[in-house]
């Protein structure tokens, strides 16, 4: 989904990460609840594709992706999603 999209309880999440150093952790949070994580040597370019089960939805929901590379540098991106 894109920021501001309407979603159901299950939705497909896709994104790509490009880093100058290999990524070693990716965490997905939905309304501050960890719903998926990947750890290990994920490479400097990482593609994520998965269906996310959100559980209960609020009228306005926050999806947050946290990525960390091998040097400990972190980047977070978030978006608001609305229930349909």
């Amino acid at each position: 989904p894109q920021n501001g999209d309407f979603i159901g309880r299950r939705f497909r999440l896709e994104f790509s990460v490009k880093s100058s150093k290999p990524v070693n952790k990716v965490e997905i949070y939905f309304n501050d609840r960890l719903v998926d994580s990947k750890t290990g040597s994920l490479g400097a370019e990482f593609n994520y594709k998965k269906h996310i089960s959100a559980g209960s939805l609020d009228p306005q929901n926050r999806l947050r992706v946290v990525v960390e590379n091998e040097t400990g540098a972190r980047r977070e991106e978030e978006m608001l999603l609305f229930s349909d």
Side-chain angles (χ1 to χ4, degrees):
Q2 300 293 319
N3 191 43
D5 279 354
F6 285 85
I7 59 166
R9 289 191 176 154
R10 185 170 159 85
F11 60 93
R12 184 168 179 82
L13 179 61
E14 295 183 33
F15 62 86
S16 297
V17 174
K18 291 183 182 178
S19 175
S20 60
K21 302 288 183 186
V23 172
N24 65 357
K25 186 192 299 185
V26 175
E27 297 175 327
I28 313 299
Y29 293 89
F30 191 82
N31 291 336
D32 297 320
R33 182 177 59 90
L34 182 66
V35 293
D36 194 26
S37 66
K38 303 282 184 204
T39 58
S41 183
L42 304 174
E45 293 188 18
F46 175 75
N47 293 311
Y48 182 94
K49 294 180 184 178
K50 187 173 180 181
H51 281 93
I52 301 293
S53 294
S56 62
L57 293 173
D58 295 329
Q60 181 174 296
N61 303 277
R62 184 169 75 136
L63 177 69
R64 184 167 50 106
V65 176
V66 181
V67 177
E68 186 176 303
N69 71 19
E70 67 180 11
T71 66
R74 292 170 60 101
R75 172 107 188 232
E76 295 186 24
E77 294 288 333
E78 68 177 60
M79 65 176 73
L80 292 178
L81 301 169
F82 301 95
S83 61
D84 39 356

